[in-house]
Amino acid sequence: MRAAPASGTERSAAVTDDSARLTVYTDGPSQAGVTVILSLGFLMTADVWRLQARALSAGGVRVVRYDQRVHGNSKPGRAALTVDRLGAGLAHVIDATTPHGPVVLAEHSLGGMAALTAAARHPELIRHRRPHVALISTSRSRAQLVPGTHPLHWIKAAGRAGYSYPLCWLPPAADVARHRLPSRHPWAFRPATQHHGDSPPPSRQAIRRTPTAQIAQLWKSLRTYTTAEMLHALHTLADRVEIVTGELDDWIPLSQTHELARQLPNAHMHEPVMGARHRLPTDRVGHATATQVLNRMAQEGLRAPASTAPPR
């Protein structure tokens, strides 16, 4: 499996059918026997996968990361910004970057929701490619402000509501406030700022150039999103689907993870990573588990029969 690793990260773009320009980052040897495609969460950039990209590519695996539309260096398209659109974007990235060969799809949080939507809307992709799929800190149902019943959860919910509702209903005023935030604040609005180089911008710069109205549009979609009773395509993958989460995840609580596992009875749900929180790929405790799972799935992908691209 081990091949000479590529020198550095290669940056490219995938343009979707509605003209969204998705910035793609590729690491590892171009002739690797398996490709791991990494999809990111809400208000993050592909930089959230930096530890996994480094480890996997050093082991001879080709790694493809990309910024979701309106995140990082990616641009919006003509279509409304919805989870369905993110799922279509993932399918497009797979077609554009890895039309042949074994594939591992690793999806974190919002990226997992996009993957579930892609499986529901593009079942031929699953049937023909038969990827290994890692659903990390993700849910099959809408985003919730209240992560649990503990009093601290209600305090967190109040804080989240305190910024989410103004964002959704007063985006111009939110833009004015964001212009006045310190430059290092993750919500700072600096549309003229450019990130140079081939590597993705830090996650704190995920929405540096994103108007609040676009963030609000995606948040509203997240609040109504569901793939309940729509995951038949993933059932056929059986134990190729694995579910990983952190014990202390307070964005996608364990109750939602267990519900996802019930919707995918053939999937393997790992024991929650003790002490790990939502951002598992960079979590101080959980990042090693995420890397180990993906490395093992890549090895299994190499042993799988050769796959072909689906008719699109």
Side-chain angles (χ1 to χ4, degrees), residues 174-182 185-193 207-212:
D175 280 343
V176 171
R178 291 175 63 203
H179 272 295
R180 288 165 169 73
L181 290 171
H185 194 284
W187 282 90
F189 188 25
R190 302 287 186 272
T193 301
I207 52 172
R208 182 64 55 95
R209 288 176 280 164
T210 307
T212 303

Side-chain angles (χ1 to χ4, degrees), residues 221-235:
S221 176
L222 277 169
R223 292 286 286 154
T224 58
Y225 155 89
T226 182
T227 54
E229 312 304 331
M230 294 173 59
L231 301 180
H232 308 296
L234 286 182
H235 292 173

Side-chain angles (χ1 to χ4, degrees), residues 162-179:
Y163 67 76
S164 65
Y165 287 113
L167 288 178
C168 288
W169 304 113
L170 296 169
D175 280 343
V176 171
R178 291 175 63 203
H179 272 295

Side-chain angles (χ1 to χ4, degrees), residues 38-42 66 68 86-87 90 106-117 135-138:
L38 305 171
S39 185
L40 56 97
F42 187 49
Y66 69 101
Q68 301 278 20
L86 299 187
L90 171 60
E107 326 297 346
H108 174 252
S109 191
L110 172 65
M113 298 175 183
L116 296 176
T117 301
L135 299 171
I136 300 175
S137 305
T138 195

